[in-house]
Amino acid sequence: MDVSTACDISSQNKPRKRSCLERLSNGFISLLERAFYRLGYVVASHPYLTICQCVLICGLCAIGMKDFKETNAAEKLWVPATSRIQDEKRWVMKNFPPFTRYASVILTADNVLSPASLRAMMAFYKSANTLESGPHYLQTMCFRVGPVCHVTSILELWFYNEELINSLTQDDIIQKINNVTMSPMYHSKLHLGSLLGQMWRDSSGQIVGAKAASMLFLLYDKPEWKKPAMDWELKMVNLAKSGHSDLTDIFIYTTRSFDDEGYGAVNADVNLLSTGFSLVMVYLILTLGRFNLVHQKFYLSIAGLLSVGLAIGFAYGLAITCGVLYGPVHALMPFLLLGIGVDDMFVIVEAWKNLTPKELKLPLVDRMALSLKHAGVSITVTSITDVVAFAIGASTVIPGLSGFCIYAALGILALYGLQATFFVACLTLDQRKVEATRDGCIPCYVHKNYTPNSFSQWNIMTTAFEKYVGPNLMKFPIKVLVLLVTSALLGVNVWGFYHLKQDFSLTMYIPSDSYAHKYAMAREKYFPSDGLDTAVYCKDFEYHKSRDLMEKMYSNIVEDPYIVNGSVVFWFSAFNDWFDRMRDDPSVAPSMYGDVKYPYSKAWFALLVHRFLYHTPQGQAYRQFIKFENASSTGNPIIRGTYFKLRHTYQPDSKSEIIAMEHLRHIIDNSGLPGGGCFAYTDVYLTYETNKILQRELYRNLLLAVICVFTVTLLLIANFRTSLIVFTCVIFTLVDVAGTLHFWGVTIDTASSILLTLSVGLAVDYSAHIGHMFMTVQGTRPERVVETLKKIGPAVFSGGFSTFLAFLLLCNSYSYGFSLFFRVFFTVVLFGLFHGLIYLPVVLSWIGPEPYDTHLTTEDRANIYIPQCKCNSQGESNHLEPSTQKLIRDSNTRESTDQEALWVPQEDLALVDKKEQDLTTVDTANAPLLNDSSKDMTTQQDHPSSQIPFTSIQPSHNITTHTSPLQQEKQELINGDTCPLLQERRTDIIPTSSGEKEKKMTSMVSPWIVKGSEITLAPSMDVTGSRNKTDTSRGSPTGPTQTVPHPTPVTQELSTVPSKPPTIKTNRQPPHTVTVAQNLQLDHTRTPPSTVSKATSDATTPDSGIHNGLDIPAVKTEMLNSPWIVDGSQLILVPGWGASTDPSTKNKKHQESMTGQRKQTSSVMDSTRKSLSEADR
């Protein structure tokens, strides 16, 4: 390959013009990488201090947990604070607090209206009355209506008289059931639909049989009776489970049942979750470490899980201190942080494993810094995306969901910091232990002469992705199959997502094998028409003036199609009936005034109502519906509030239930009663209020979350096409998860809404890592995909699989809540890994964008460092990472990794490579400027920036080395042409009268060096006994020297000094400084002038430039051990060319041709420098 072709290649590799987004993101990513490098360096240098600081900070924040209090109130967790029901509930709790407990029983038989069934029901009632709880039993704790306990069943038609019931015949029973409409015991309407289930009638319409009968026991809920009442309820459960020979089944549900069965199952499944954590830990040990005595990662795995615990303490303590409420659903937090934290751990460890062999020779602190630099941006993409998504979710009006998002955002933020500090510090200590060959489990024991077994050196997962997964995915039939499967899954699950309905039933959260769940199923089977019991509460207003309005509201409610006919128990109508009968009574007459036949004052009305309730048999059944003030004193009673009961018709789903509630509210709100008068309320309305906005809030939060995901990934990944493809992966995962949940029988409720919101954070992790890594590797699209899967695929897979392991044991849970957790997490992991590791690579292999601009990207700025340089360019100094002065360019670049390929003919490269080991030897004892170059470069100490200036070899000074035969052969391959790429410049050394030498600096023009740079040159030296000595004739005081061009840095790493170095005669000069006058624009398209094949005494030496990352594409560089260049400098040298004339007149043709371009070139270079950011420089 001739020089013209080389120049053309160099021209083609010029950096393309970058967009504003790329410049912004490159600058931001560069800043992140430098920050993570320095953070990793500091953490690795002081691991114990870092660990102590992390534990101290998290511990201080965790102090806030001393005020921990779990909120179980539904109105505080799931109802918006601005909802009307909040005020309504407070009023009800103040005036009519719940005062009863209950035990509801369903008894089934072939016909419960048979004499045998009634006798069995009476026996069960009698047994319930005899149950004792300490000194208490049913008769002492029951809610009474008059003198009798309130127990609702068809037995009240016979006053629970055992003798009478035992004497009944079938005809007696049928006649009584069909002719009685009022309860003879409680003087209230008898609603047979709630007492008998699955009734059937004869041809005349009379009830002749039923499959089930209900029985309801009511107890006072007094604080001093709570424990005896709970004990009695437990005995009732055992009594129902024992059954009866004349009854098919007995189902029961009590006040304590949900706590016993629902929360009991949760507590039982917590043990399964603990086992799941143990599985995760075992997986971490197996995956992070290797199967030998030294490299196993037992303690590192514990440290990784400990970081999750520290993040939980930080988030909980800080949130509780700030007053953020904590609900039962917040128990999901550890599993969310476990999934994200383990994923970040694997990414960091994978970055450590992916260090190149050259990088592995660096000191431990440098290796840790590099690992965190490579992994830091990746975990930043996922962590910041999750934090922003949950922070946006915190704006929801549902307090419980908002609180969960706040806890999650704080936890992920803390985990992000802990993984970058605490875990890296633990990884550093673990690596110290490994390098000291200490035992993995017993660190105090050191293995001597330890050699790990061969099997432990095999990375199974990396090999699988590199050799099997990646290459197979790049096959065209596989790509087509992946797209077809993805499309099919998306189509089916879009349909499922569309039909995902909103519904909530408390029964779902009761274990399916519990007695409480069986009762719920029996009620749904035998009493399907039973709707929801509710009530209408009325505040204190002038009832005596609102009789017509009250009766009109009552009639409208009765006619409401969503209200069960005959279910309204209205005390006001009963009082009016009594008052109309007693109007002429002398004790009632004074209450009326004039023509108004009704109490004319509020006081009279309250007095008469009190008399009706406490002094008449009919009124006793309504005592509970009215609250009096001064009812037991000698003063006049005052009505503070009233209510009446009714029942909604059965509604099949949440949407219909909300319609029924709103219809009743509309009737009451438009009744015209003064002062806001009345309102409908029941505790279940709290759920209805949540369901009314839950679906809207869910879709809102998901939309905002995915928008944030796209925005953050666009900023951090810095490529619109890649960000869009990653965004589609997140969308497809969410759709597939939601659609699968529909087919799994899951509905939209509070728990599923939180889990779907949470799935956004997990879905991002599986795709963003792949997208970001794809943009950093070089090559063709298929090559980049395979390399991406090799580097980051194992970490992504391990992160998802470990999350799956944590929930694996919940797959057979009887608890709906934990079963729902498993279903959501399983589908998120399944579809997330599919889209991240299968679909995304296939799409990127077809339409993936170009990688980051390797000329100025963070990869090159990070890997081709000018060490601790102090470059006076236009009065500025560049200060780079102190420990990267020996870091070389990683081989994964798109450009040529062998600079010789640009100048050495391809047919001769084999000869050069074959003898690569025959390298130049140098007498380091006589080279004071060598700076310990004879030592292994991986163990050099960092030098202050003042000791390592930029250095360059001047054309007018010869480089003298002891040259090996290999170098002579290589030199002959590349000497032969003269390239007019550099403007001639020289430095003369003039002897002074005192014998000292005075430096005369002249301007040096080179496109490879920043204008204004001061270049320090090492002295020329004579080598005795070298081959082909040549006498220079320029008046150089150095005498005869050998000219050795340097078209590319010589690969040489000397760990020891040869025992017998060659004899070297040195004639030293003081270092010389050259100031660059200007830069020239290279014109690679020009054909170089004719050249002389052999260098003469007047030949110019090759120019050298300092690679500043600005003008040429970066190439792989090797360390150059030479006494002629100040240690630590990294130079990219242009090819050497022979000259045919004297230095004073040579290359005149080129100089003349370059003169006309100088002004234009200078302005171009100046404008180029101005456009570069400080980070680029």
Side-chain angles (χ1 to χ4, degrees), residues 462-706:
T462 301
T463 303
F465 276 99
E466 181 183 10
K467 301 295 183 182
Y468 302 103
V469 178
N472 286 323
L473 280 179
M474 295 302 99
K475 297 179 180 178
F476 182 77
I478 301 296
K479 292 182 180 181
V480 175
L481 179 62
V482 168
L483 292 183
L484 290 177
V485 172
T486 304
S487 301
L489 286 174
L490 182 64
V492 171
N493 288 306
V494 163
W495 186 90
F497 193 9
Y498 178 79
H499 289 86
L500 185 64
K501 65 179 182 178
Q502 176 185 350
D503 194 14
F504 173 77
S505 175
L506 200 60
T507 304
M508 296 188 300
Y509 290 88
I510 301 174
S512 57
D513 62 338
S514 66
Y515 73 86
H517 189 270
K518 294 177 182 178
Y519 170 88
M521 296 298 100
R523 176 160 288 280
E524 184 177 341
K525 177 182 178 180
Y526 295 110
F527 298 92
S529 60
D530 268 9
L532 174 68
D533 289 325
T534 185
V536 175
Y537 292 87
C538 296
K539 301 177 182 179
D540 179 18
F541 60 89
E542 295 180 333
Y543 290 89
H544 64 288
K545 293 182 179 181
S546 306
R547 178 175 181 176
D548 294 340
L549 296 176
M550 290 283 288
E551 290 181 346
K552 180 181 179 181
M553 180 183 68
Y554 168 72
S555 62
N556 290 337
I557 291 175
V558 171
E559 295 173 0
D560 186 356
Y562 297 102
I563 301 299
V564 175
N565 186 26
S567 65
V568 182
V569 182
F570 194 40
W571 67 270
F572 193 77
S573 297
F575 168 75
N576 288 337
D577 293 340
W578 173 82
F579 179 81
D580 290 341
R581 293 194 303 269
M582 298 294 295
R583 184 179 300 169
D584 296 331
D585 188 277
S587 60
V588 176
S591 64
M592 296 177 289
Y593 178 79
D595 296 335
V596 179
K597 302 301 181 181
Y598 207 67
Y600 66 89
S601 67
K602 191 174 182 178
W604 267 109
F605 181 85
L607 184 62
L608 292 176
V609 170
H610 186 272
R611 177 180 174 183
F612 165 71
L613 297 178
Y614 290 92
H615 299 286
T616 64
Q618 301 91 336
Q620 292 181 3
Y622 300 100
R623 289 181 184 177
Q624 57 180 312
F625 299 124
I626 301 176
K627 179 182 180 181
F628 288 99
E629 186 177 324
N630 302 327
S632 59
S633 64
T634 56
N636 294 328
I638 301 174
I639 298 176
R640 290 305 182 192
T642 67
Y643 76 96
F644 59 92
K645 296 192 303 182
L646 60 154
R647 175 174 293 175
H648 282 295
T649 56
Y650 174 77
Q651 303 300 325
D653 52 39
S654 295
K655 184 177 180 180
S656 301
E657 290 170 343
I658 294 171
I659 293 175
M661 177 187 70
E662 293 297 328
H663 198 272
L664 177 60
R665 284 179 170 178
H666 178 76
I667 292 174
I668 299 171
D669 293 343
N670 291 276
S671 62
L673 293 171
C678 303
F679 59 89
Y681 175 83
T682 183
D683 288 341
V684 183
Y685 279 1
L686 296 170
T687 303
Y688 291 2
E689 284 288 331
T690 303
N691 290 338
K692 188 168 66 174
I693 63 170
L694 184 61
Q695 191 170 26
R696 182 180 74 244
E697 288 295 308
L698 172 63
Y699 293 156
R700 167 192 173 275
N701 291 338
L702 289 179
L703 179 62
L704 291 177
V706 296

Side-chain angles (χ1 to χ4, degrees), residues 310-365:
L310 291 174
I312 293 173
F314 176 89
Y316 279 32
L318 194 59
I320 291 173
T321 301
C322 296
V324 182
L325 59 84
Y326 180 93
V329 75
H330 290 61
L332 288 174
M333 272 287 297
F335 307 104
L336 170 65
L337 297 182
L338 176 67
I340 295 177
V342 168
D343 182 65
D344 290 346
M345 278 187 278
F346 281 117
V347 171
I348 294 174
V349 173
E350 204 65 30
W352 167 263
K353 293 179 180 179
N354 287 333
L355 292 178
T356 65
K358 294 290 184 180
E359 292 169 340
L360 290 175
K361 296 179 181 179
L362 297 174
L364 178 59
V365 291

